[in-house]
């Protein structure tokens, strides 16, 4: 991740729903981002479009205003992407890069729809809004990879992938995984209740554990080091970890969750 925004071009975003709004919030919060270079295409005004407009962005630009766009971001639902993109496919410059965050729309289909312009696919998490996101990135084109990385790296850890199909496991391990972690934290709270904690106290303690766990790896420490720092030999944490590993329980649950998410992603992209 970087501290400042370095990309020096106009950016157009089609779709400002849940993910599009998170992207806008993340860009606006990144030092060096020039809101007056952002153009948003969206059918309805949202709090993110209002915020962007107040910072200097253009909402629903004219074709003329799209002529300096160096990167076009597609954040619409897969079902409507062709009709949403069509009015802009020919007005952006020949050398513009297209970055898609849509699940399940193949890179080759997008490239054909934009006259062969370089395309990158990314799978970001909505924590881009807090500049705490992570995004798997795939593109066979070096320029598309570079431009898309520069666009996202102020708000996400951009993880390059070697093949387009790896975006599905990336979605399972990152995009969906915060919900898996919340489910585990919820189970921890219930286990605390079973040991006598009041429900409120159990939830507060478990949420605090989640915050503490995130803070413990925020400096890029390895997961192994983070575990070893807490689990002293013969102590309570080691006893809990040993119990988690009985019959591969934790690994089995994680494998089941990721495999199911990957299978669903493949199913949806058919
Ligand atoms: N949400 C996530 O966590 C997440 C994570 C990774 C990837 N994605 C991908 O991101 C994409 C968007 O997902 P989302 O959750 O943000 O969906 P969403 O909330 O439904 O956002 C899509 C937005 O695009 C707008 N839109 C529809 N047609 C349009 C058009 N012709 N021109 C301009 N805007 C148009 C929609 O407006 P209306 O509501 O008026 O139709 C809506 O505001 C999807 O392809 C999804 O696979 C989402």
């Amino acid at each position: 991740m970087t501290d400042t925004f370095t990309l020096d071009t106009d950016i157009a975003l089609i779709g400002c729903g849940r993910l599009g709004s998170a992207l806008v919030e993340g860009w606006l919060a990144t030092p060096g981002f020039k809101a007056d270079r952002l153009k948003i295409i969206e059918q309805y005004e949202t709090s993110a479009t209002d915020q962007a407009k107040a910072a200097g962005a253009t909402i629903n630009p004219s074709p003329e205003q799209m002529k300096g766009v160096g990167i076009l971001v597609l954040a619409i639902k897969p079902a409507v992407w062709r009709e949403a993109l069509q009015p802009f496919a020919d007005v952006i410059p020949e050398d513009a890069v297209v970055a898609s965050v849509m699940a399940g729309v193949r890179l080759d289909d997008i490239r054909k729809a934009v006259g062969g312009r370089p395309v990158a696919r990314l799978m970001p998490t909505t924590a881009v809004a807090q500049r705490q996101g992570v995004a798997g990135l795939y593109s066979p084109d070096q320029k598309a990879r570079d431009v898309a990385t520069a666009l996202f790296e102020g708000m996400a850890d951009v993880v390059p992938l070697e093949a387009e199909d790896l975006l599905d496991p990336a979605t399972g391990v990152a995009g969906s995984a915060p919900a898996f972690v919340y489910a585990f934290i919820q189970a921890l709270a219930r286990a605390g209740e079973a040991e006598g904690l009041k429900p409120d106290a159990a939830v507060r303690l478990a949420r605090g554990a989640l915050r503490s766990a995130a803070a413990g790896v925020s400096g890029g420490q390895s997961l192994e080091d983070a575990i070893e720092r807490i689990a002293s030999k013969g102590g309570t944490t080691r006893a809990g970890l040993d119990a988690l590993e009985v019959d591969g329980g934790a690994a089995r649950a994680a494998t089941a969750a990721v495999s199911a998410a990957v299978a669903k992603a493949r199913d949806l992209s058919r």
Side-chain angles (χ1 to χ4, degrees), residues 24 28 33-38 48-58:
V24 169
L28 292 179
F33 180 79
K34 297 189 178 83
D36 59 354
R37 303 202 74 172
L38 176 63
T49 57
D50 287 348
Q51 212 186 322
K53 198 167 157 184
T58 306

Side-chain angles (χ1 to χ4, degrees), residues 117-139:
R117 290 175 179 83
V119 177
R121 282 189 62 194
L122 300 108
M123 262 306 134
T125 57
T126 47
V128 289
Q130 294 83 33
R131 302 185 59 217
Q132 299 283 333
V134 60
L137 161 73
Y138 171 73
S139 177

Side-chain angles (χ1 to χ4, degrees), residues 5 34 40 48 50 69 86 93 104 112 130 139 171 204 208 240 245:
F5 193 85
K34 297 189 178 83
I40 302 176
D50 287 348
V69 164
Q86 195 271 329
K112 279 184 203 136
Q130 294 83 33
S139 177
T171 305
R204 271 179 71 191
E245 280 156 21

